[in-house]
Amino acid sequence: MKALNETIIAIIGTGLMGSSLALALRGHVRAIHGVDNSPTHRLGAATYFDYIGDNLERAVAGADMVILAIPIQAILQVIEQIGSLLKPGALLLDLGSAKQMIVQAMDALPEHVQAVGGHPMCGKESSGPMAADAAMYRGAVFVLCETKRSTPQAINFVQCLIRVIGARPVAMSAERHDAAVAAISHLPYLLSVGLVNTVGQTAQDDPTPWTVASTGFRDTSRLASSNVTMMNDILMANREAILDALVLFDAQLHSLGEAIQSSDEGALRGILETARKTRDDWFKTWQTLRRDM
Amino acid sequence: MKALNETIIAIIGTGLMGSSLALALRGHVRAIHGVDNSPTHRLGAATYFDYIGDNLERAVAGADMVILAIPIQAILQVIEQIGSLLKPGALLLDLGSAKQMIVQAMDALPEHVQAVGGHPMCGKESSGPMAADAAMYRGAVFVLCETKRSTPQAINFVQCLIRVIGARPVAMSAERHDAAVAAISHLPYLLSVGLVNTVGQTAQDDPTPWTVASTGFRDTSRLASSNVTMMNDILMANREAILDALVLFDAQLHSLGEAIQSSDEGALRGILETARKTRDDWFKTWQTLRRDM
């Protein structure tokens, strides 16, 4: 691989993740090409890229590295068609939120291509290039999953790129990644959606819930504002792990409901204390790690 | 009632809510007394009050208004004993998060006392006087519930006090309040607790979930860090409404699980879209109202 600052990078998808990545990479690479089917996205992201267009073939032809920053179904489609478009030794990385299906697809790429699965653990509920933020990746864990097309050099290059944008590379298998994000990301999204729709149902006859809702509701409902196409893809791609997480959550909520129903304050307090301590411990560690970046 | 700036106010409980209220009221009233059983709280809150001690009787004897900023069980206990300690015409207000039990208790106060149920829709997951913030009430809805001891003058006085601290008084029945907060506040807390304990369970064999957890998990798990004694009291005091909200939520989560299980992308997208639109609409309105305060 060339040095990072000699590299031409093509980013497919100029939404929040792709545009933020382009901003974070400016000055660290030779050139950044952007590809997007949406004229609105191309317009919004125009100043972030050295070249922007809707022609995948043209944008990736000379690229040393191609980064897929699009929803999972689109990632899978592009992986199927991109093999022959890439020059020998070119490196493919994706930012998809569920990794097993993508790693499998990357395994089947032609041998002249290198490919690594990636997932940066950052984002916001707003989307599109106008929401882009060069600092978004800073301090975030960036998961890397090896594929059958990952040489040590390719992994090393991606790690270097991740450090340049201020993130923290963490290698793991696609299976472990998918189980973990089902619990800490996809389940919370479903809870947010279920919460908002429960409040919507409660408020049908009497809008009081909307009047009194405040910061607690704002935070627990935030993920429900996520991009629906992106989330729909993720839920389908990580179906099994998500269903497993739902079963565990259902049992937890059932225990809570039981303790409340039977006014068992001892049991209730035990559950609440466990959650408080667990969350406080994680939060302290997480904050420290972010600060140290 | 006297004018607000001639009033002596006693705040029972110098934790986050009581101390923040004392800070917000400074300069607007004649004197603020604080009462707390905890020496740590008294030390932390000492500079916020004109007098601070652990003797309820002494602190409320000369007070024109007494505000109960303590957990619900403690509020109910104080209401039972405070009647004879208050001077004729003195006004009692509480800040408890479930109102039916408290309003019932206030209804039974002696006739020389005036009493209004209150609930400011603000807070943080951190507690204690060191977390106090004079701006915490600014822009927040402050629910008021009439009791059999609420004269129009008492209601009017409390509304005036609420406007002085920058909050927005909204009158409603205790029943409507309790159903609404079960959905927008107590249910989200239970979901946070259930989520954290689900992740804890998932992470028992493999800590990967804790490594990849980030801002989405931080926000959806925040409420799990709330004070356990306070929340335990709330869950017990608002038991029926919370159990109703849990039933509705359970059905919502079941629909989501079904759509994922059967890969019914049409149904899934419909549920996700409804939640996204509902949440976006609420959030826009909420932000505008807060900004206009």
Side-chain angles (χ1 to χ4, degrees):
Chain A
M1 298 284 305
K2 294 176 184 170
L4 188 60
N5 62 6
E6 292 165 5
T7 305
I8 297 175
I9 293 190
I11 298 178
I12 317 304
T14 64
L16 173 69
M17 301 305 287
S19 284
S20 296
L21 188 58
L23 287 175
L25 282 172
R26 278 182 89 92
H28 297 288
V29 297
R30 193 169 132 209
I32 311 177
H33 299 172
V35 183
D36 208 302
N37 290 330
S38 150
T40 321
H41 273 201
R42 290 200 301 273
L43 195 65
T47 58
Y48 309 156
F49 292 88
D50 299 298
Y51 157 90
I52 196 161
D54 62 354
N55 189 317
L56 180 72
E57 195 171 340
R58 199 190 307 168
V60 307
D64 301 296
M65 181 177 192
V66 174
I67 300 173
L68 307 179
I70 43 183
I72 294 177
Q73 283 307 320
I75 290 176
L76 294 171
Q77 281 162 22
V78 171
I79 293 176
E80 246 181 58
Q81 65 185 98
I82 207 171
S84 58
L85 306 178
L86 294 174
K87 67 179 189 185
L91 169 57
L92 186 65
L93 171 73
D94 83 293
L95 310 183
S97 303
K99 299 260 60 85
Q100 287 176 90
M101 286 173 74
I102 292 170
V103 164
Q104 271 169 31
M106 284 178 164
D107 284 345
L109 280 165
E111 295 199 3
H112 76 274
V113 174
Q114 303 189 52
V116 179
H119 183 206
M121 302 309 300
C122 58
K124 341 186 201 178
E125 75 280 16
S126 41
S127 55
M130 306 308 282
D133 175 3
M136 202 176 66
Y137 293 91
R138 221 171 278 158
V141 164
F142 200 125
V143 173
L144 290 184
C145 299
E146 259 190 62
T147 74
K148 289 188 181 155
R149 295 291 166 269
S150 302
T151 58
Q153 290 86 341
I155 297 278
N156 190 53
F157 187 87
V158 175
Q159 285 177 335
C160 176
L161 178 138
I162 290 172
R163 292 208 181 87
V164 156
I165 61 173
R168 199 150 43 96
V170 176
M172 65 182 69
S173 72
E175 288 74 14
R176 283 176 62 201
H177 168 274
D178 286 2
V181 294
I184 60 93
S185 174
H186 308 161
L187 176 62
Y189 171 68
L190 293 176
L191 301 183
S192 272
V193 167
L195 170 64
V196 169
N197 287 343
T198 299
V199 176
Q201 205 179 338
T202 309
Q204 257 170 1
D205 300 322
D206 172 3
T208 306
W210 296 129
T211 309
V212 296
S214 187
T215 50
F217 179 77
R218 177 198 61 195
D219 289 353
T220 41
S221 69
R222 181 173 72 83
L223 294 180
S225 286
S226 302
N227 181 287
V228 167
T229 299
M230 183 185 77
M231 291 311 304
N232 193 73
D233 268 22
I234 291 172
L235 298 177
M236 285 297 140
N238 202 21
R239 219 171 130 265
E240 296 301 329
I242 290 168
L243 291 171
D244 288 348
L246 276 176
V247 169
L248 290 182
F249 177 80
D250 202 53
Q252 291 287 349
L253 200 63
H254 190 75
S255 305
L256 277 165
E258 285 274 291
I260 295 171
Q261 173 88 57
S262 58
S263 298
D264 185 344
E265 290 198 46
L268 186 56
R269 186 175 274 275
I271 299 172
L272 307 185
E273 271 298 355
T274 302
R276 191 199 52 75
K277 192 185 172 322
T278 306
R279 201 273 179 181
D280 283 355
D281 289 350
W282 168 77
F283 187 56
K284 256 177 238 157
T285 312
W286 181 79
Q287 271 189 316
T288 309
L289 279 170
R290 299 269 290 197
R291 219 174 11 240
D292 290 349
M293 284 302 296
Chain B
M1 296 287 300
K2 295 176 183 170
L4 188 60
N5 62 6
E6 293 167 4
T7 304
I8 296 175
I9 293 190
I11 297 178
I12 318 302
T14 63
L16 173 70
M17 301 306 285
S19 285
S20 297
L21 187 58
L23 288 174
L25 283 173
R26 278 183 89 92
H28 297 289
V29 296
R30 193 170 131 207
I32 311 177
H33 300 172
V35 183
D36 208 302
N37 291 330
S38 150
T40 321
H41 273 202
R42 289 199 302 273
L43 195 66
T47 58
Y48 310 156
F49 292 88
D50 299 298
Y51 158 89
I52 195 160
D54 62 355
N55 189 318
L56 181 71
E57 194 171 341
R58 198 191 307 168
V60 308
D64 302 297
M65 181 177 192
V66 175
I67 300 173
L68 306 179
I70 42 184
I72 293 177
Q73 284 307 322
I75 290 177
L76 294 171
Q77 282 162 21
V78 171
I79 292 175
E80 246 181 58
Q81 65 184 98
I82 207 170
S84 58
L85 307 178
L86 293 174
K87 67 178 189 186
L91 169 57
L92 187 66
L93 171 73
D94 82 292
L95 311 182
S97 304
K99 299 261 61 86
Q100 286 175 92
M101 286 173 73
I102 291 170
V103 164
Q104 270 169 32
M106 285 177 163
D107 284 345
L109 279 166
E111 294 199 4
H112 75 275
V113 174
Q114 303 188 53
V116 179
H119 184 206
M121 303 310 301
C122 56
K124 338 187 203 178
E125 74 281 16
S126 39
S127 55
M130 306 308 282
D133 174 4
M136 202 177 65
Y137 293 91
R138 220 171 278 158
V141 163
F142 199 126
V143 173
L144 290 183
C145 299
E146 257 189 65
T147 75
K148 289 187 180 155
R149 295 290 166 268
S150 303
T151 59
Q153 290 84 342
I155 296 279
N156 190 52
F157 187 87
V158 176
Q159 286 176 334
C160 177
L161 179 139
I162 291 172
R163 291 206 182 89
V164 157
I165 60 172
R168 200 150 41 96
V170 177
M172 65 183 68
S173 72
E175 289 74 14
R176 283 175 61 201
H177 167 274
D178 287 0
V181 294
I184 60 92
S185 174
H186 309 161
L187 175 62
Y189 170 69
L190 293 175
L191 301 183
S192 273
V193 167
L195 169 64
V196 169
N197 287 343
T198 300
V199 175
Q201 206 179 339
T202 309
Q204 257 168 2
D205 301 322
D206 172 4
T208 306
W210 298 129
T211 309
V212 296
S214 187
T215 51
F217 179 76
R218 176 197 61 194
D219 288 353
T220 40
S221 69
R222 181 173 72 81
L223 295 180
S225 285
S226 302
N227 182 286
V228 167
T229 299
M230 183 185 78
M231 291 311 305
N232 193 71
D233 268 21
I234 291 172
L235 298 177
M236 285 298 139
N238 202 22
R239 221 171 129 262
E240 296 302 328
I242 290 169
L243 290 171
D244 288 348
L246 277 175
V247 169
L248 290 182
F249 176 81
D250 202 53
Q252 291 288 348
L253 200 63
H254 189 76
S255 304
L256 276 165
E258 284 275 289
I260 296 170
Q261 174 89 58
S262 59
S263 298
D264 185 345
E265 291 198 47
L268 185 57
R269 185 175 275 274
I271 300 172
L272 306 185
E273 271 298 355
T274 301
R276 191 199 54 74
K277 193 185 170 321
T278 306
R279 201 273 177 181
D280 283 355
D281 289 351
W282 168 78
F283 187 57
K284 255 178 239 158
T285 312
W286 181 79
Q287 271 190 314
T288 309
L289 280 171
R290 299 271 288 200
R291 219 176 8 242
D292 290 350
M293 282 305 292

